[in-house]
Amino acid sequence: MDFNHCLAISKIIHKRPARIALIRCFILVLVFINASLAFAQITPENPSADTTLIQLNVLPPDTIATDTIPPDSNVYRSPIQTEVVLDARDSIDNDVVNKKVYLYGDAVVTYGTISLNAAYIEYDFATFTVTASGVQDSLGVWSGLPKFKDGANEFDGFTMQYNFKSKKAFVRQVFTEVIEGTLTGKDVKMVQGGDVIYVRKGEYCPCEDPNAKTRIKVGKLKLIKNDKIVTGPGYLALHGVPTPLVFPFGYFPNTDKKQAGIIIPGYGNGQEQGYFLSNLGFYLPINEYVDNKILADIYSRGSWALRDQVTYKRNYKYTGNLDAQYLVRKLGDKELLNYSEDRSFFVTWRHIQDIKAKPNSNFSADLSVGSSATFRNNLNANQDDFLTNTFRSNITYQKRFYDSPWSFNVNAGHDQNSNSAGDQGAVYNFTIPEITINRTRTFPLAGLFNNGTKQRFYEKIGLTYGSAFQNRLTANESEISLNNLDNLMKDFRNGARHTVGLSTSLKAGPVTINPSFSYNERWYYSTLSRTFDPDLQSYVQDTIIGFDRNNNWNAGVSATTKVYGMYSFRTGRIKAIRHTLTPSVGYSVSPNFDARVYGFYGADGSLGSYSPYDGAVYSGPPSGASSLITFSLVNNLEAKMLSRRDTANKFVKVPIIENIQANGTYNLAADSLKLSTISLSGRTKLTKYANINARAVFDPYSYVAVQNSSGTDASIARVDRYLYNSTGKLASFENGTVAVNASGLSNAMFKRQPGASTATTEGMDENGKPLEGPDAKGGGKFSIPWNATFGYALGVRKVRESIMLAEGFGIIDTLAITQSIQVTGGLEFFKKVKVNINSGYDFETKELTPTTLFFIVDLNCWEFNARVVPFGTRKSFNLSLFIKSSMLRDLKLEMNRNLGGDQNFFF
């Protein structure tokens, strides 16, 4: 060993200046010579353990000069292949005789990814063992307790020993964090570099708070890093008190990877269907992208349900879930007349493609299809599904071409309405598929016959094109089955449509003129015809298979402009009010393309008509010619006001009325009733959090009572006589709606804004004096955080009834009013208790709408949830108490009870 090697070793063992390292190098040389003499007396076949100090190489292998020493297999190689760095704040003492180094005060030993910190550390060169412990003061308080860190694993304890050669550790009273909790133990032994840990008298706390009083106590425990935790007998203790929850052994996953396992069910009483176990199942992770849950519900009276839930996700590509369920519902007793049994199914599928995956194409799915009574029969269905009457599905593929105006879409979907269910079940409408090809607006005449920079009027003519193909089926629920597939295929209706549009925009001073032209053509692959059946003495309808087509076109022009009015104020916050009028008038014409067939097609042989395209996908062309004058007037009113808060912008614009619009048409080609009803609508913001929408319809014509042939009753008819001519009124109110919606309501609305003159400093009152009592801490009074969403709807419509008078019949008018309120909101108490409500009130029925209450209580390690439906057919409650740790989520108490329906059944 030369002088340079001594200097290097000294610097590693103790980080001090070179002057001190030179002195200690001489001491190491003497030790090296004495040890070499001892080593020379031992044969390589029988080395002595006390000679390991000689071969202690704490230097990395590349720092030792080996080019002058020939390789020798009998030369002892140190097991320490990584630099060991020792450091301490107070002092470091070297005991050459006992081959130890002592470190005092914030001592640190670092060996690769392993580090050990403590108030006192002892390092034994002979056994490659490091021992660490804390220190106690005169009062017996411990400080500087050892902290062991190996990569992401950290351990705290009172005393620690670690052997660099065997990579085994022994810890007294260990404290460490594991997956979703903390683990403590009286005696701990680590082997295999800390990958395997043995614990005696261990306690597991499944909470983020290591001081929580929930403990799972076990006598023996084995922890395998990134794999599992296996225990012997144990029990659950709360606040140090043992509970009856005892288990002979335990197995817990200790990895971020998904683990297969049994899903513990909930239980309850369904009254009509008996006691039940819900959501009993098995969780099966298929791979890192897909996992699967198989769940079942079992009822004591024979009902059962089976569900399969699949979720999948690939980052930056797609995400989705598939849920399929099958339900068998049995009510009553087979020995009695009240027994019934029905089967239902439902499938939902959600698929979302990441927009970054394929920017020029997209595939998405939103599928909700199944039996109409599925959620009405399922006790575990949520309130939203139970109240939903209409379900729709849509599966879409969209393709856009680069540097091209063309796009291509394929769509498949359906809709069903539970309220339409009759004896044959609900009505289903399927579209399988719908294919569309579209061309965005282009200007085909741009640059034609024009080499200048100024654009000519014909260059502004835009062209659009669209074509679509649909294949539709309408069927009752009872008709949908695999056995009836042949008949369903015959009932499909299909057709195609092509649309071409031309439009442009011209300026004439302040007026904008927009001419337009559109052409529509429809293709059919079957049509209808009527023939007279002499046996039935009536006309019957036949389907003719073959290609047919029809078309129609219309042309029009519209003109619009804006008119502004301003009124200024000399004093006050309001500086000006601006009124904006946007009038618009247009004219469109369309010839008569009536495709109806006229003749003696009535039921009794009288004159009648029918359309060959009745029931077709795109129906037929509109009947009758039209020559329409359209008009509309849009009003906007806003105020210019001084800003109270924004110092950068002196004035702010505040909308008073965002939009009030009147619309109507006048058909010059009609023989009567040429003027349409007048529609008036408007919207505006009431506050920052609330807005109002209103709509009303007015009729300019009169209504009369027309007596029937028997003279005993009369019907109401709209006649070609302006109401103004008979009553002096311009129009009569027919119907209207008003909706007020408020969102974002919370206690934050009433907090003082920063910078306001009335704002107080934390802990101080408005006069700058310290607060006293309960308001002193935090500088504010006790408050309960809350949030709410509010909706109010009012509907009014005129109802006309005929009444018998002394001379004929008259009309009496009444108003039918419907109104309701819907409220959702929540309260939070002490950041531990949350109460949410979803309810409303129907003023017409004078009843509360379906109401659900949710209670969530945070119990540190535990969480208590309650869902209560206080009344109605789904009157029920659900209570659950469970550990928040997902690893122990199935450690829970749950109770379900359905309080609605018929309770007079045997169990």
Side-chain angles (χ1 to χ4, degrees), residues 591-643:
N592 184 9
F593 293 95
D594 190 5
R596 299 185 65 84
V597 179
Y598 293 87
F600 296 95
Y601 296 107
D604 54 355
S606 60
L607 288 174
S609 65
Y610 74 93
S611 173
Y613 312 110
D614 283 341
V617 171
Y618 294 108
S619 66
S623 60
S626 67
S627 180
L628 287 179
I629 298 175
T630 61
F631 52 89
S632 68
L633 180 63
V634 180
N635 293 264
N636 288 278
L637 199 65
E638 60 184 0
K640 184 178 181 182
M641 305 179 65
L642 285 172
S643 176

Side-chain angles (χ1 to χ4, degrees), residues 872-888:
T873 58
R874 291 178 61 83
K875 183 179 179 181
S876 61
F877 66 84
N878 174 281
L879 308 177
S880 61
L881 177 66
F882 55 87
I883 290 182
K884 291 189 291 186
S885 171
S886 61
M887 186 172 66
L888 300 175

Side-chain angles (χ1 to χ4, degrees), residues 73 118 157 178 268 296 307 318 344 406 420 454 461 498 580 624 635 673 693 753 781 789 814 825 851 878:
S73 60
V178 294
R307 295 188 302 280
Y318 52 78
S344 58
W406 294 95
S420 65
K454 185 177 181 180
I461 299 177
H498 306 272
T580 304
N635 293 264
L673 302 174
N693 291 269
Q753 298 294 328
K781 296 182 179 180
T789 299
T814 58
T851 300
N878 174 281

Side-chain angles (χ1 to χ4, degrees), residues 670-834:
D671 55 358
S672 62
L673 302 174
K674 296 184 178 182
L675 183 61
S676 68
T677 57
I678 308 301
S679 175
L680 185 65
S681 61
R683 69 175 187 274
T684 190
K685 285 186 177 180
L686 299 177
T687 68
K688 177 182 177 181
Y689 307 97
N691 60 75
I692 182 171
N693 291 269
R695 182 180 180 275
V697 176
F698 298 89
D699 196 337
Y701 288 101
S702 300
Y703 288 81
V704 297
V706 179
Q707 184 175 318
N708 60 15
S709 57
S710 62
T712 58
D713 198 0
S715 60
I716 308 300
R718 185 171 181 246
V719 296
D720 190 18
R721 183 172 67 248
Y722 288 116
L723 186 64
Y724 180 79
N725 296 333
S726 56
T727 63
K729 298 180 180 178
L730 291 176
S732 62
F733 172 81
E734 295 299 313
N735 59 76
T737 58
V738 176
V740 180
N741 296 291
S743 60
L745 304 177
S746 67
N747 57 307
M749 297 168 50
F750 304 99
K751 290 184 178 180
R752 299 185 184 275
Q753 298 294 328
S757 59
T758 56
T760 59
T761 306
E762 183 174 358
M764 311 290 288
D765 62 13
E766 295 183 0
N767 299 321
K769 296 181 179 180
L771 292 172
E772 297 180 357
D775 296 343
K777 187 177 181 180
K781 296 182 179 180
F782 171 77
S783 63
I784 300 177
W786 59 273
N787 64 84
T789 299
F790 168 85
Y792 170 77
L794 171 66
V796 182
R797 63 182 179 88
K798 179 173 287 188
V799 179
R800 294 182 173 90
E801 297 179 353
S802 62
I803 59 173
M804 182 175 291
L805 303 175
E807 299 178 356
F809 286 86
I811 298 178
I812 182 173
D813 296 339
T814 58
L815 292 178
I817 300 175
T818 60
Q819 54 180 332
S820 63
I821 292 177
Q822 190 70 27
V823 178
T824 61
L827 300 172
E828 183 176 350
F829 302 92
F830 311 108
K831 297 184 179 181
K832 292 291 185 180
V833 181
K834 295 181 180 179

Side-chain angles (χ1 to χ4, degrees), residues 178 183 195-202 204 216-225 227-234 247-255 887:
V178 294
L183 176 66
D195 290 341
V196 179
I197 302 174
Y198 295 92
V199 180
R200 186 172 68 88
K201 294 184 179 180
Y204 173 64
I216 297 177
K217 296 189 176 184
V218 294
K220 295 181 180 180
L221 178 149
K222 180 180 180 181
L223 184 149
I224 303 177
K225 181 180 177 182
D227 190 358
K228 57 183 172 286
I229 300 175
V230 182
T231 76
F247 51 90
F249 65 91
Y251 179 91
F252 308 99
N254 185 39
T255 175
M887 186 172 66

Side-chain angles (χ1 to χ4, degrees), residues 255-320:
T255 175
D256 292 331
K257 295 182 179 180
K258 303 174 182 178
Q259 299 287 324
I262 296 175
I263 300 174
I264 306 300
Y267 66 92
N269 185 0
Q271 298 297 330
E272 291 183 343
Q273 300 175 16
Y275 292 102
F276 64 85
L277 294 176
S278 64
N279 295 326
L280 169 66
F282 188 79
Y283 173 75
L284 178 64
I286 299 175
N287 53 41
E288 60 179 318
Y289 308 113
V290 183
D291 56 11
N292 186 25
K293 281 197 296 186
I294 301 174
L295 304 172
D297 299 339
I298 303 173
Y299 298 84
S300 61
R301 297 195 185 118
S303 300
W304 58 273
L306 186 65
R307 295 188 302 280
D308 189 22
Q309 299 176 349
V310 179
T311 60
Y312 55 90
K313 180 178 181 180
R314 295 200 67 175
N315 291 334
Y316 310 111
K317 289 191 175 182
Y318 52 78
T319 181

